[in-house]
Amino acid sequence: MNAVVLDPRQLAGFDDALGAIVTEEVKANGRRLFHKGHRLSAADLDSVASLPAPIHVVRLDPGEVHEDEAGRRLAAAVAGPGVVTRGPVQSRVNLVAGEKGLLRVDGPTVIALNRLPGIAVFTLPDRLPVLPGKILCGAKITPVAIDEEILAEAEAIAGRRPVVQVKPFLPLAVGVVTTEGMTEKTRERFRETVRKKIAWYGGEVLGFADLPNDESEVADAIERFVDEGAGLVLTGGGNTIDPLDAALQALPRIGGEIVKFGAPAHPGSMFWLAYRGETPIFNLASCSMYSKATVADLVLPWIMAGERVGLDDMAALGFGGLLDRDMGYRFPPYEAEAANEADEEE
């Protein structure tokens, strides 16, 4: 790039300024005339002539790509399935959720991209449940132009796998087995809460089995739900800390294998996750019945998006596992169906 100081007093040089790119925001009389990255045209010359002070501009060399075009190309390379792009607004292109689902971000690729000079890709945290219209990521270059070779390298890195994508939730059928005696009012409240949460993902509740604390009856109920097509079985009630809890004792009877007992989160010590073949089974502690601020509501979106949750996934919950009120953004927005976020300017 060739930097130039454009002085309004030297009008003879204005013809050479056509096509030059402004490197700073230019204001006059309290309003913005040009934003950073603006390419000067013949229509701008009268405005430039009225300025009280010189402005800084650059002329691009062959092989350099303007920030707006570069931002569009970078965003297109980063955007995966379920993502649409908006912009650029002052060189930033936003990646926006095109559907409800689970945000997945390829962290190592984001790091590799941001190691390149002039490249900036910034995202929401991985594995958030998101609504259509939610801004997920910004992609831009930090200077007003970038070398084609660097941009091409970024496109090659991003093209190896989806960097930012939204995995749609699956319409899973869910069976619910409870072993805790509840009053009729509490039972109805619990069922309403579970139905509402599952419906938010597009799933449906096959049924509720309210049972005594008997492992054989619990095992039979789980098997029955699986035979009926359940893609997920939830258990509730009982005492998960008790080794003789019926739901825990039922798992070996049906060939279930525990992934993790007790999540590294608070609240979460009563949570456990198991699989019977491909079917996940996990426990809803009492607080999970009515609240969304529990570890169960962190794991549920993963499963409803069709992900297999392993021990490493559960162990990693410890990072950010202190689930206080400030963590609210991590939980599914069960009360909403869309997010209408405006593109932000710098």
Side-chain angles (χ1 to χ4, degrees), residues 44-294:
D44 299 320
L45 297 187
D46 287 343
S47 295
V48 174
S50 68
L51 292 173
I55 61 172
H56 294 178
V57 299
V58 294
R59 298 189 185 93
L60 299 189
D61 295 328
E64 291 183 322
V65 183
H66 184 273
E67 60 181 353
D68 285 348
E69 180 186 350
R72 280 189 288 263
R73 286 174 54 180
L74 180 60
V78 170
V83 177
V84 296
T85 61
R86 291 180 184 166
V89 176
Q90 293 197 37
S91 80
R92 168 179 164 179
V93 179
N94 282 330
L95 278 64
V96 179
E99 59 186 319
K100 180 193 289 186
L102 183 69
L103 170 64
R104 294 310 319 263
V105 177
D106 183 347
T109 300
V110 172
I111 293 172
L113 288 168
N114 287 332
R115 288 176 59 87
L116 297 176
I119 297 293
V121 175
F122 36 98
T123 78
L124 293 178
D126 185 29
R127 275 183 161 168
L128 290 186
V130 296
L131 298 172
K134 180 69 175 177
I135 297 175
L136 313 173
C137 170
K140 64 177 293 180
I141 63 166
T142 51
V144 295
I146 193 169
D147 287 341
E148 168 66 35
E149 291 183 0
I150 296 175
L151 182 58
E153 183 179 356
E155 290 174 315
I157 291 172
R160 295 170 187 165
R161 62 183 66 85
V163 182
V164 177
Q165 63 177 311
V166 175
K167 297 181 68 174
F169 295 126
L170 305 177
L172 296 183
V174 179
V176 186
V177 179
T178 57
T179 58
E180 181 177 65
M182 292 184 259
T183 65
E184 183 176 350
K185 182 177 180 180
T186 301
R187 182 184 300 111
E188 287 307 310
R189 182 184 174 193
F190 168 70
R191 291 184 174 187
E192 180 183 357
T193 300
V194 172
R195 287 193 187 100
K196 179 180 178 181
K197 288 185 177 184
I198 298 304
W200 186 84
Y201 296 98
E204 64 173 339
V205 175
L206 281 176
F208 295 87
D210 297 313
L211 305 173
N213 193 42
D214 181 276
E215 62 188 76
S216 62
E217 292 196 43
V218 172
D220 289 345
I222 293 174
E223 289 281 22
R224 184 167 61 253
F225 279 131
V226 173
D227 290 343
E228 292 174 2
L232 166 65
V233 176
L234 303 175
T235 71
N239 180 6
T240 59
I241 296 178
D242 182 359
L244 298 180
D245 177 74
L248 290 173
Q249 289 294 309
L251 293 176
R253 286 175 171 257
I254 62 173
E257 296 184 359
I258 287 279
V259 175
K260 178 72 173 173
F261 181 93
H266 179 76
S269 61
M270 303 286 284
F271 179 87
W272 55 260
L273 171 68
Y275 277 86
R276 177 198 178 275
E278 296 300 315
T279 305
I281 307 167
F282 71 77
N283 173 264
L284 291 174
S286 296
C287 61
S288 302
M289 295 180 181
Y290 314 117
S291 172
K292 69 178 182 180
T294 73

